[in-house]
Amino acid sequence: MSAVAQMSPTPPAGTLAPPMSASPLDAETLVSQTGAIVDQELKPLTARVDREGLYPEAVLRSLGYAGVYRAHLANARTDGEVDFPAAIRAMATVSQECLSTGFAVWCQDTCAWYLEIGNPKARELWLESLASGTVLGGTGMSNTMKAFAGIEDLRLSGERVEGGYVVNGSLPWVSNLGEGHVFGSLFTLSGDTRQTVMALVDCRSPGFSLRQSAHFVALEGTRTYACIFDNVFIPDEHIIDDNGAGFLERARAGLVMLQFGMGAGNIQGCINVCRSAEPMLGHINQFLDDRPDELQEELDDIVDAVLTLAETPCEASPDFFREVLELRLAAGELALRASQSAMLHTGAKGYLSSAPAQRKLRESYFVAIVTPATKHLRKELARMHEMDV
Amino acid sequence: MNDTPYRKWICDACGYIYDEAKGDPDGGLPPGTRYDDMPDDWECPLCGLRKSDLRPLPETPIAEPAGGPPSVGKDRRKGQQRRFGGPAHLVIVGAGIAGWSVAEAVRRRDPLRPILLVSACDGAVYAKPSLSTSLAKALTPADLVDASAETRGLELGVETLTRARVLKIDRVKRRLITACGGIGYGNLVLALGARQRLLPVAGDAADEVLRVNDLRTYRELRSRLDAGARHVTLLGAGLIGCEFADDLTAAGHRVTVVDPADRPLSALLPVGVANALRDRLADKGVDWRLGVTLAALGHAEDGLAAQLSDDERLRTDIVLSAAGLLPVTEPAARAGIAINRGIVADRDLCTSDPVVYAIGDCAEIEGTCFSYIEPIRRQAEAIAAHLVGEEEPFIPLPPLVRIKTPSMPMTVCVSDPRLGAQQNWEAISRDVKGIRLEQRGVGTKPNFVLTDDYARFGSEMYREHFG
Ligand SMILES: Cc1cc2nc3c(=O)[nH]c(=O)nc-3n(C[C@H](O)[C@H](O)[C@H](O)COP(=O)(O)OP(=O)(O)OC[C@H]3O[C@@H](n4cnc5c(N)ncnc54)[C@H](O)[C@@H]3O)c2cc1C
Ligand SMILES: Cc1cc2nc3c(=O)[nH]c(=O)nc-3n(C[C@H](O)[C@H](O)[C@H](O)COP(=O)(O)OP(=O)(O)OC[C@H]3O[C@@H](n4cnc5c(N)ncnc54)[C@H](O)[C@@H]3O)c2cc1C
């Protein structure tokens, strides 16, 4: 199967949330509105998103309308505040129900975050559309992060031309894409591979194409494609930062911190599954490891730490980033344990193909393998530790 | 007929292996299709990338680094424990002299109580005052370390958790939150120390200002000096600034000292003594820039360009800030524990939360933050006593300050710090052995300034009064 999948025209904005324009909600209201959208719009679709690869576009638009994507964007808020904790909590509320949708929210939040901290010109052109969810977007930075960690080579290269760059290469697995979508990515300058440029790519650009090949065991509803760049022109107005390496350093803590929305949501979902089995099976489940109360304590510790760090997303010290990675690793590991536990707590009922437990099990692996993956994190933390001693 | 052996190719992105012998029948390529004969628009069946993203499969697997991944990484990172402490635990936060002193004092009185010492740094036991006197003695940062946290912990029967910054104190759950996991406590001791004040400096190299306040930052200073840095600009002519100035010049570095006051140690020393110190250090080569501040710091051709508030410019290699210590109060402040300048504690070192103590540079007792060693051991004893239900409150005493400038060593005791710089000092001696000043008639407490050879009588005079 190839090419851009079923495109639907932009649907009417969400039916639940009041028109929000740019005025931000306080965190509690945002989280509870997110919960309402999840209950009323997402829940009925979760099984289809998982099994049929349905892309929950209408839900994503509703979340945008409710203001979910602007919580962490000072430039898209009338009060100029930055509320990462609110963004993470809202994403967790979505991920607790469906990680495909939660991941799409992360893609959107992160793409907007790049614009927030990038060149003013690109920000003026795109930030508001992304913050409101009228344009949906993704991030093709896995290759970049792995390249900077010395795991692989950068896959895109660009040549300077009048008014912009011409980019060639390919990226595997970029999610939340489609016609009219955009995503942030980074390319090297041909001739000088040490110099990198961060740019916003418009999927409608001539020479750009999306390909879908294989299917995944979970996260199917995320519109994840391979991206082919065949002499794609990227105009100067779409350059987010001419200094790609410096940009990544500024963006990385925020990018990774936002992922806790996915991890925390998935883990909480697993704990809830364990608890739901308790009234009937508690007498026998007490013989299992990783009981819901223990998992909850570990999750609360991680969430408490993350929400504290998330108050200062622009803190640039290496110690701070080490803490973020340490917690990111813990979230991936706990997700695997929690989903395992959800299976064991629910038993055969969780083994049914319609059961949330087995879906959460498949989803939880994504928390542990999406960049920065468990092995990548351990490598990076070991490197930081070596440098320290 | 092509009889070169079939080759295998790997998709760069997803690891799909294209074996020419097998082809890709689902993709329309029969077995035996050579790479060269594959159409350019072929798509990888796993990830959708192109023929051009395939590369020859290496004959041998990519070698692992010799010995596998670094062992620290392996041991520490795999399946790490993330829950620590518990309701019976005494948890000490901070591995400076204060933190370790509490661990020792409590262990002496209570051999069984579980103790966990947590620190943001590596927890090594070292004498912090030596940071400003080691160059001249040719001591390396490693020489300053008495023991690693692990070793000292084992000796004392104390668990340690290092490189774990406490981000939050949850007083309801009695739990500390760190990136390494959660820590339950029954009692908590905050020994968070003090940090160097951050001065507002403009310019694109403002981040380059070093604040040496622990072994790690000291190592950084030393590695920059070892890398050939010649000229050091010191911000602040207080105790630490003057000590560093003397130590750096003794080791052959050129030093400029910048301070908004008109003389060094202006708050502590009488004018005449301060001026004598200034002259003594000037003789050693210290370049004083008094009455000014550093306005901006920029990157220069090779090194840094400093711009002073009087528009004077100078080329320098390192800027070291020693502009005063501020008690570390977060995360106590966030948790709603009473804070003034430091974490407010009574004579039992109890904070506003009765199960939480504060000690050392971070604590404030009866309005005073003590930023020196002497009170710490007595504070530690007071905490240990209080924990086992005994009474041995801490009694605040005026500080005995030793200024470790070998060019002009000094011992100073001023019971009220505001008196230091005043005029009514009586010169008891002023001769080849140094200066001895005393101030009488300001209460019953001793007030003295001793320099050079007289300096070593300071402890004796102090003990006469305070035992
Ligand atoms: C559903 C889904 C959605 C995704 N969405 C996105 C997205 O939106 N944005 C994004 O940036 N990423 C996305 N990714 C990618 C993801 O973040 C990870 O980067 C990806 O799973 C690969 O990481 P890894 O740790 O498995 O790397 P590995 O493949 O395990 O190893 C790292 C690298 O080593 C190299 N390598 C592997 N085998 C060999 C070999 N035999 N010889 C030489 N070199 C080799 C490869 O270059 C490989 O990339 C998505 C992945 C999935 C599954
Ligand atoms: C250069 C220099 C020279 C000095 N000379 C003298 C002298 O001659 N005589 C004298 O009496 N005094 C001197 N002092 C002062 C003396 O060194 C200090 O008073 C004393 O060392 C303070 O000890 P402390 O344990 O309170 O703090 P510190 O040694 O600062 O220890 C603080 C500890 O708290 C940890 N910490 C902080 N925040 C957190 C957190 N959130 N989570 C976990 N851990 C945390 C740190 O990692 C560290 O382990 C000097 C100081 C300096 C810097």
Side-chain angles (χ1 to χ4, degrees):
Chain A
M1 185 171 104
S2 170
V4 177
Q6 348 75 327
M7 288 295 154
S8 54
T10 308
T15 45
L16 269 162
M20 284 319 304
S21 73
S23 78
L25 294 172
D26 68 275
E28 297 312 320
T29 316
L30 187 74
V31 172
S32 79
Q33 293 228 353
T34 305
I37 294 172
V38 167
D39 285 342
Q40 295 174 41
E41 299 185 31
L42 177 57
K43 261 199 183 128
L45 301 179
T46 306
R48 289 185 60 204
V49 172
D50 180 49
R51 288 201 266 173
E52 298 166 25
L54 174 85
Y55 177 64
E57 178 160 344
V59 178
L60 294 171
R61 305 271 182 202
S62 293
L63 292 169
Y65 197 63
V68 166
Y69 311 133
R70 62 173 89 246
H72 61 306
L73 309 169
N75 285 296
R77 290 175 57 134
T78 44
D79 60 3
E81 297 284 320
V82 177
D83 193 347
F84 263 72
I88 293 168
R89 290 174 59 200
M91 196 191 303
T93 306
V94 177
S95 307
Q96 191 175 318
E97 171 61 25
C98 168
L99 195 67
S100 281
T101 315
F103 180 50
V105 171
W106 176 80
C107 293
Q108 183 78 11
D109 276 358
T110 304
C111 184
W113 169 238
Y114 298 152
L115 290 160
E116 164 77 17
I117 60 171
N119 284 342
K121 185 76 208 167
R123 188 195 307 142
E124 272 160 38
L125 283 174
W126 292 100
L127 185 67
E128 182 50 36
S129 330
L130 282 159
S132 60
T134 43
V135 169
L136 295 171
T139 148
M141 292 291 273
S142 160
N143 166 243
T144 310
M145 295 199 41
K146 289 195 280 177
F148 281 96
I151 301 175
E152 62 190 39
D153 292 330
L154 276 169
R155 308 182 54 89
L156 296 180
S157 79
E159 204 163 322
R160 184 76 189 141
V161 294
E162 167 112 33
Y165 295 87
V166 170
V167 176
N168 279 291
S170 57
L171 292 173
W173 330 135
V174 184
S175 307
N176 211 31
L177 297 189
E179 200 180 290
H181 293 218
V182 294
F183 67 100
S185 199
L186 186 143
F187 58 85
T188 58
L189 275 191
S190 41
D192 182 2
T193 49
R194 279 161 312 156
Q195 208 189 323
T196 54
V197 177
M198 179 73 197
L200 192 75
V201 182
D202 185 340
C203 292
R204 281 174 308 205
S205 308
F208 179 84
S209 56
L210 295 172
R211 290 182 182 179
Q212 188 179 40
S213 294
H215 293 277
F216 303 111
V217 297
L219 278 294
E220 265 289 88
T222 55
R223 281 213 188 140
T224 298
Y225 298 106
C227 299
I228 312 289
F229 290 72
D230 198 358
N231 288 321
V232 174
F233 175 71
I234 298 183
D236 283 338
E237 307 89 82
H238 289 189
I239 299 305
I240 296 175
D241 200 316
D242 307 299
N243 172 2
F247 176 82
L248 188 64
E249 202 146 294
R250 277 186 293 134
R252 61 185 191 176
L255 174 158
V256 178
M257 270 194 279
L258 286 168
Q259 289 182 335
F260 286 98
M262 298 162 55
N266 176 258
I267 297 165
Q268 189 63 61
C270 293
I271 296 172
N272 295 353
V273 166
C274 293
R275 285 201 204 285
S276 69
E278 224 42 10
M280 298 303 291
L281 300 171
H283 62 112
I284 184 72
N285 281 349
Q286 60 179 321
F287 291 96
L288 291 170
D289 298 327
D290 285 330
R291 299 277 290 141
D293 286 348
E294 297 168 59
L295 294 169
Q296 189 73 56
E297 186 174 68
E298 282 194 52
L299 175 61
D300 289 349
D301 283 344
I302 293 174
V303 169
D304 257 4
V306 169
L307 295 185
T308 307
L309 294 180
E311 288 170 19
T312 55
C314 293
E315 159 91 54
S317 80
D319 276 343
F320 181 82
F321 192 53
R322 178 176 57 81
E323 291 176 328
V324 173
L325 294 185
E326 196 105 53
L327 287 160
R328 174 69 183 83
L329 176 62
E333 290 176 342
L334 188 60
L336 298 183
R337 278 170 48 210
S339 65
Q340 180 87 346
S341 199
M343 286 301 288
L344 297 182
H345 275 72
T346 47
K349 279 202 277 312
Y351 206 68
L352 294 169
S353 66
S354 58
Q358 56 78 26
R359 176 165 48 80
K360 299 209 175 290
L361 178 76
R362 290 180 282 112
E363 289 176 344
S364 70
Y365 288 102
F366 188 70
V367 178
I369 63 164
V370 70
T371 299
T374 301
K375 53 192 171 183
H376 176 173
L377 288 162
R378 288 199 184 145
K379 177 181 184 198
E380 192 60 16
L381 285 166
R383 189 189 62 81
M384 288 178 159
H385 190 81
E386 296 265 284
M387 275 180 47
D388 242 17
V389 291
Chain B
M1 184 70 213
N2 183 349
D3 50 325
T4 50
Y6 287 120
R7 300 180 64 189
K8 288 180 183 169
W9 301 74
I10 182 164
C11 173
D12 228 3
C14 70
Y16 169 78
I17 291 175
Y18 179 77
D19 182 343
E20 294 177 344
K22 293 183 185 156
D24 173 19
D26 291 344
L29 303 182
T33 307
R34 304 277 181 182
Y35 178 84
D36 289 338
D37 300 326
M38 292 168 73
D40 286 337
D41 63 358
W42 175 84
E43 290 181 13
C44 169
L46 287 189
C47 68
L49 292 192
R50 297 165 296 188
K51 174 183 171 183
S52 55
D53 295 305
L54 293 177
R55 59 194 171 85
L57 181 69
E59 296 287 314
T60 46
I62 298 174
E64 279 190 27
S71 63
V72 255
K74 213 159 41 178
D75 298 346
R76 189 163 136 74
R77 301 298 155 198
K78 271 194 191 156
Q80 225 185 104
Q81 180 193 352
R82 289 193 56 88
R83 284 187 291 171
F84 305 91
H89 268 75
L90 170 68
V91 175
I92 301 167
V93 185
I97 293 166
W100 284 113
S101 299
V102 178
E104 283 163 31
V106 174
R107 190 43 90 226
R108 236 180 287 122
R109 288 178 204 243
D110 185 347
L112 295 179
R113 172 146 203 185
I115 303 176
L116 170 64
L117 186 138
V118 184
S119 70
C121 59
D122 68 6
V125 183
Y126 75 107
K128 192 169 177 176
S130 307
L131 294 181
S132 49
T133 57
S134 293
L135 274 167
K137 296 178 190 151
L139 296 175
T140 66
D143 293 333
L144 302 184
V145 177
D146 273 347
S148 69
E150 207 183 13
T151 310
R152 181 55 51 90
L154 281 173
E155 284 167 13
L156 293 173
V158 164
E159 301 161 60
T160 53
L161 179 64
T162 58
R163 289 172 222 275
R165 175 168 69 120
V166 171
L167 300 169
K168 185 175 162 185
I169 303 170
D170 187 330
R171 288 165 56 205
V172 178
K173 291 195 220 159
R174 295 204 182 164
R175 204 165 176 80
L176 305 178
I177 301 300
T178 79
C180 302
I183 304 163
Y185 65 83
N187 285 102
L188 180 63
V189 176
L190 300 174
L192 306 172
R195 65 168 61 95
Q196 293 277 0
R197 183 193 308 276
L198 179 66
L199 294 173
V201 175
D204 64 4
D207 290 349
E208 298 286 324
V209 176
L210 276 180
R211 288 181 288 162
V212 170
N213 191 38
D214 51 26
L215 273 176
R216 197 219 267 194
T217 41
Y218 187 61
R219 262 185 238 121
E220 176 157 1
L221 169 68
R222 291 291 289 261
S223 73
R224 289 204 205 177
L225 292 171
D226 290 345
R230 300 289 310 139
H231 184 268
V232 182
T233 303
L234 270 161
L235 308 181
L239 203 121
I240 294 172
C242 289
E243 292 185 357
F244 268 123
D246 207 10
D247 200 43
L248 284 160
T249 34
H253 300 284
R254 288 188 300 116
V255 174
T256 295
V257 182
V258 178
D259 194 300
D262 64 355
R263 57 185 193 278
L265 284 162
S266 57
L268 180 70
L269 293 181
V271 182
V273 181
N275 288 338
L277 175 67
R278 182 195 61 206
D279 296 344
R280 204 75 73 84
L281 291 183
D283 290 344
K284 296 282 165 92
V286 171
D287 165 36
W288 293 101
R289 304 295 175 101
L290 296 167
V292 296
T293 55
L294 176 68
L297 188 65
H299 288 287
E301 196 70 4
D302 69 316
L304 301 169
Q307 187 194 335
L308 305 181
S309 55
D310 61 357
D311 265 353
E312 190 81 35
R313 275 152 216 273
L314 52 104
R315 244 252 333 121
T316 186
D317 298 314
I318 295 178
V319 178
L320 190 58
S321 168
L325 293 171
L326 298 174
V328 174
T329 54
E330 74 286 351
R334 291 178 58 107
I337 293 172
I339 300 295
N340 191 21
R341 211 171 94 80
I343 302 170
V344 175
D346 62 20
R347 288 186 173 205
D348 292 320
L349 287 311
C350 286
T351 65
S352 61
D353 179 337
V355 302
V356 181
Y357 300 85
I359 180 174
D361 282 11
C362 69
E364 174 178 321
I365 298 133
E366 295 173 3
T368 306
C369 296
F370 303 85
S371 46
Y372 48 94
I373 308 279
E374 187 279 328
I376 292 178
R377 297 213 184 265
R378 295 189 293 116
Q379 292 174 351
E381 288 304 328
I383 292 177
H386 194 257
L387 275 171
V388 295
E390 291 166 16
E391 274 285 315
E392 202 181 309
F394 167 72
I395 317 273
L397 298 175
L400 177 70
V401 183
R402 287 197 193 79
I403 300 146
K404 309 184 297 302
T405 39
S407 299
M408 183 169 160
M410 283 177 275
T411 310
V412 179
C413 179
V414 280
S415 38
D416 181 345
R418 283 162 303 183
L419 298 176
Q422 283 188 6
Q423 304 301 316
N424 53 335
W425 287 91
E426 186 181 332
I428 309 294
S429 333
R430 197 188 281 270
D431 49 37
V432 285
K433 284 156 80 185
I435 304 171
R436 174 178 171 185
L437 304 180
E438 288 187 31
Q439 211 173 40
R440 294 177 176 153
V442 282
T444 53
K445 305 269 168 63
N447 288 287
F448 56 78
V449 175
L450 308 171
T451 81
D452 303 286
D453 287 349
Y454 289 119
R456 59 200 157 86
F457 299 117
S459 310
E460 209 175 297
M461 290 173 65
Y462 190 79
R463 267 197 306 273
E464 267 172 37
H465 281 270
F466 301 111

